[in-house]
Amino acid sequence: MTSYHLDVFAQRPYKSPDQWACENRIMPLTNRLLSYVETPYLQEPTRAFGDLATTYKIVVSCPSQCGKSCAIENCIGWIALFHPRNTLVIFDTKLNSQQFSKTRLRPYLRDTIHLAAFDDTTAENRRNDKYKDVSHYTLAPGASLML
């Protein structure tokens, strides 16, 4: 008689946000894995995001078009997969927050994190009221993201 052992409750190996991003994040423009060789200045803020014991606020100030959105997406993806918890991301204006949510975050959550709730190809999701709210996301039961 053959016995099969399936450990359903085994946790996935822990990875810091920067490790996870380098192994799983396909960059949209280059179609290759993220590398901090081009943006070394974003590795430390991304790593700090995973330091749950001592970090409660991270402020990143840098010029436009340098990869901030990618770093924010990577941290949100890491939270959704490894540490689902309530998270607040603050932008300078409501318009910027909505723009980031519609054009970058929703496709990222759908395509990279594979969260079905953000799959906009189904008619049910297009009719869903939560789908239209671009400032609030449910990452997991009891874990929300607010922009």
Side-chain angles (χ1 to χ4, degrees):
M1 180 172 174
T2 305
S3 174
Y4 295 99
H5 176 70
L6 178 62
D7 195 356
V8 196
F9 299 105
Q11 291 185 348
R12 73 183 98 206
Y14 176 82
K15 294 181 181 178
S16 67
D18 58 319
Q19 289 172 325
W20 177 83
C22 287
E23 294 174 11
N24 297 291
R25 178 66 194 266
I26 304 291
M27 300 305 293
L29 296 176
T30 60
N31 205 21
R32 59 189 172 132
L33 285 172
L34 170 73
S35 170
Y36 285 109
V37 172
E38 291 95 10
T39 57
Y41 48 86
L42 290 176
Q43 187 171 13
E44 195 57 38
T46 305
R47 185 177 294 144
F49 204 88
D51 184 10
L52 303 175
T54 59
T55 304
Y56 68 97
K57 178 168 92 173
I58 299 171
V59 177
V60 177
S61 180
C62 53
S64 66
Q65 303 300 317
C66 68
K68 293 183 303 287
S69 296
C70 176
I72 293 169
E73 291 168 356
N74 291 337
C75 292
I76 290 171
W78 179 81
I79 287 173
L81 293 174
F82 287 97
H83 287 283
R85 62 182 188 265
N86 291 329
T87 305
L88 178 65
V89 178
I90 300 174
F91 284 84
D92 54 348
T93 66
K94 185 174 182 177
L95 180 63
N96 284 344
S97 170
Q98 290 173 338
Q99 208 169 25
F100 173 78
S101 178
K102 287 179 182 177
T103 62
R104 295 179 183 246
L105 186 59
R106 184 168 295 280
Y108 168 75
L109 291 173
R110 181 193 62 225
D111 299 338
T112 304
I113 307 301
H114 305 293
L115 293 178
F118 306 109
D119 183 1
D120 55 4
T121 59
T122 64
E124 180 183 343
N125 282 340
R126 285 193 295 270
R127 287 191 304 269
N128 186 354
D129 285 339
K130 270 195 167 183
Y131 174 77
K132 295 174 187 164
D133 182 4
V134 296
S135 62
H136 180 263
Y137 295 94
T138 301
L139 299 176
S144 294
L145 169 68
M146 184 71 78
L147 300 178

